[in-house]
Amino acid sequence: MSGSLRIKWDKSIETGNRAVDVQHKYLIDIINELADGIEQGMTAKTFQKILNLLKYYTLWHFGREEQCMEQYECPAAEANKSAHAVFIETFERFQQEYRQGGGADEIARRMYKVLTEWLVNHIQKIDGQLGPCVHGKS
Ligand SMILES: [Fe+2]
């Protein structure tokens, strides 16, 4: 069924910081483009293009978010930084596997599942700790 891989924005992944939330929403938009592509059978080339966009935007976003956590002296700042590094490593490993695997659909699906589950879980558990820091200081 079309759309079943998509993820939806909801309150459980709201951090309370406006800029970070806007960035997370855009991340979800890119993720959903991947979801549509997997379901509708996009070419490996298109999949890779969206993956690159996701990677560069994620890198930029992680940098902004890390700055924000430092600025508000969020206790989760260090854990957030190391989690981001692990994510990027995993992302690149998958990207390489996808390239070497000739753009196999199975790899695309596995990659999508692991990365999106990680992101949603990360936003809920670690980025979610940003809100109380921001509100506590304002
Ligand atoms: Fe984060």
Side-chain angles (χ1 to χ4, degrees):
M1 200 184 87
S2 164
S4 59
L5 280 177
R6 287 181 145 250
I7 52 176
K8 268 201 199 97
W9 170 265
D10 68 50
K11 286 253 168 212
S12 80
I13 50 177
E14 198 171 69
T15 68
N17 178 278
R18 220 180 122 75
V20 169
D21 284 338
V22 166
Q23 291 162 23
H24 284 159
K25 279 182 186 165
Y26 185 56
L27 269 182
I28 291 174
D29 278 351
I30 307 174
I31 284 169
N32 285 335
E33 263 190 62
L34 283 180
D36 291 347
I38 289 171
E39 282 164 342
Q40 291 156 19
M42 66 164 79
T43 64
K45 206 176 158 193
T46 306
F47 191 76
Q48 274 167 324
K49 254 190 211 169
I50 303 172
L51 278 185
N52 277 327
L53 173 65
L54 181 61
K55 185 165 97 182
Y56 292 117
Y57 187 74
T58 303
L59 279 171
W60 177 80
H61 160 68
F62 281 173
R64 300 296 304 262
E65 199 184 79
E66 286 167 16
Q67 257 176 16
C68 187
M69 281 203 178
E70 271 167 34
Q71 183 192 336
Y72 287 100
E73 293 165 348
C74 182
E78 275 312 306
N80 191 35
K81 249 190 182 167
S82 40
H84 288 169
V86 171
F87 178 81
I88 294 298
E89 226 180 270
T90 311
F91 191 106
E92 285 175 342
R93 221 181 314 122
F94 264 124
Q95 244 185 334
Q96 202 182 3
E97 189 188 342
Y98 185 74
R99 246 182 267 128
Q100 287 168 349
D105 189 52
E106 177 273 324
I107 305 172
R109 285 178 183 269
R110 188 155 38 86
M111 176 173 193
Y112 178 84
K113 192 171 183 292
V114 170
L115 297 182
T116 54
E117 279 177 6
W118 186 96
L119 271 173
V120 170
N121 187 53
H122 173 80
I123 294 173
Q124 283 171 333
K125 299 222 166 87
I126 298 192
D127 300 343
Q129 296 178 49
L130 180 61
C133 305
V134 174
H135 298 308
K137 300 254 156 49
S138 53

